[in-house]
Amino acid sequence: MQCVFGIDRFRDRYFPSAADHFLTCSQLHPAKCMLCQLHKLANGLWSGRYAVLETENGETRHQRGISPAHFKAMVARDHPEFASMRQQDAFEFLQHLNKQIDIAERPVEGGALNPTSVFDFTTEERLQCTKCSRVRYTTQKSSLLSLPVAKRPLAAVEGVPQEFEPVQLAECFDMMTADETVDGYMCPSCEQPTTAKKSTRFATFPKVLAVQVRRFEFVNWVPQKLEIPVQVPQGPIELGAYRGQGLQLGEEALPETDDQPPTDAQPEPVDESVVAQLESMGFPRVRCVKAVKKTGNTGAESAMNWIFEHMDDADIDAPDSEPQGTAAVADPAAVEQLMAMGFPQARVERELLQSDGDANRALDRLLNLSDDVTMDNVAAATDSKDDSASCSQYELTGFVSHKGSSVHCGHYVATVRHGLGPDSAWFFFNDARVVAQPEPQSEQAYVYFFTRND
């Protein structure tokens, strides 16, 4: 949370207006109001009241800090894992947090004040048949990025934990954007199974790029942490080389097939970072995508459990067809629940029908899929104020590190940069203890935050 509230958009949304919100909030129980808890947390982090060093018996102690128990209870109340006291994944929590803030902000001025928009970007996927050389470009909305890491073990030393060769951050981006072979691709032009090449690049860049580094592997289906150093530049980082360019001169587009879903029945969104985690375990992509959909994009753990539970299903690796919305009327209670979040009735009813009446799946569609021309115009207006066309240069402004030898236990700490340029300063957060850190140690971080220089 220190990294998130170190972002200007979050600070400016929740800190200056905290007192006004407390006076005007219509929720009878502040502990049940997500916006109250966000304003409260921002006030605690930025007011300075809890950063004062305390004294005891004439001896100076550390600052008191804050314990956001009500915030944790509020953000985790509908999530069985985050509501527990078990060790959780910081990246999955960031995904869940963004979703909860998005829901809370929707009714406020139509979501215009939602700070999570700083994470939004679009990816461009390029698919090319190797037989006819025709291509297809598709785009997908994203808000968080998961990067692979090259595993190159050094010579083992008896009695010493396995060490690995350092990896440059640029190599991780190279791996993410590299061509991937798709066997058995049914080419609509060749009208037969062929081999295709698929790659993913950025169509747009976010104001703040939140990146998970997949520094783990699965051994006998058990996640194992890998202490692979990732060397991240402390200065400007140029990502322009990873920008997609769309259909190029001389390229011929693949024909659209008759079985493409109509525009009012868009494919159900899946969290590609979770799919990537599952694929890294060795599961087929079809199985991973189906598991993420069936569990409502609630994270890698629930999706993995679904895979294990349905391992013997005859259709486990059959492509998951889109629900056709056979119900004639959407559940009025579910319609009312989703409309209370700021979505229009017609769209709520349509997405509920497309989700077979499942409110959680409908909510994911509402949050991740565009609606019609009107919504596209709103998106275009938003993008015009935060355009990345002329800038793809970033600087590291925060990171979260996991301390501990196992993914099942340990402790998360945060390092945050205050300000940009030569006058900036780094601070290390370990629960309530905060100290200046002139030389941030980012090589073993798990989640990175990069801010665009514009």
Side-chain angles (χ1 to χ4, degrees), residues 148-150 152 165-176 242:
V149 183
R152 293 189 289 266
E165 180 182 331
V167 174
Q168 298 292 327
L169 179 66
E171 186 178 352
C172 299
F173 279 101
D174 291 341
M175 293 175 66
M176 182 201 79
Y242 307 107

Side-chain angles (χ1 to χ4, degrees), residues 275 279 283-292 306 315-320:
V275 173
E279 285 186 296
F283 297 118
R285 178 175 175 80
V286 170
R287 192 178 302 184
C288 299
V289 171
K290 181 180 291 189
V292 173
W306 186 93
D315 61 347
I316 183 66
D317 289 323
D320 193 21

Side-chain angles (χ1 to χ4, degrees), residues 385-399:
K385 293 183 293 185
D386 195 14
D387 186 20
S388 66
S390 61
C391 185
S392 54
Q393 187 182 88
Y394 287 82
E395 288 193 35
L396 179 67
T397 51
F399 54 90

Side-chain angles (χ1 to χ4, degrees), residues 96-156:
H96 179 70
L97 174 69
N98 283 351
K99 179 178 178 180
Q100 296 303 307
I101 294 178
D102 200 352
I103 292 171
E105 289 284 2
R106 283 274 170 173
V108 183
E109 298 187 22
L113 304 179
N114 186 357
T116 65
S117 61
V118 298
F119 296 124
D120 293 343
F121 62 98
T122 307
T123 57
E124 174 191 278
E125 183 178 285
R126 181 181 186 273
L127 182 73
Q128 182 174 34
C129 174
T130 58
K131 184 176 179 64
C132 66
S133 297
R134 292 188 174 187
V135 298
R136 173 176 293 147
Y137 288 89
T138 57
T139 58
Q140 181 172 331
K141 291 168 56 179
S142 299
S143 58
L144 303 172
L145 187 67
S146 182
L147 290 179
V149 183
K151 176 186 174 183
R152 293 189 289 266
L154 297 175

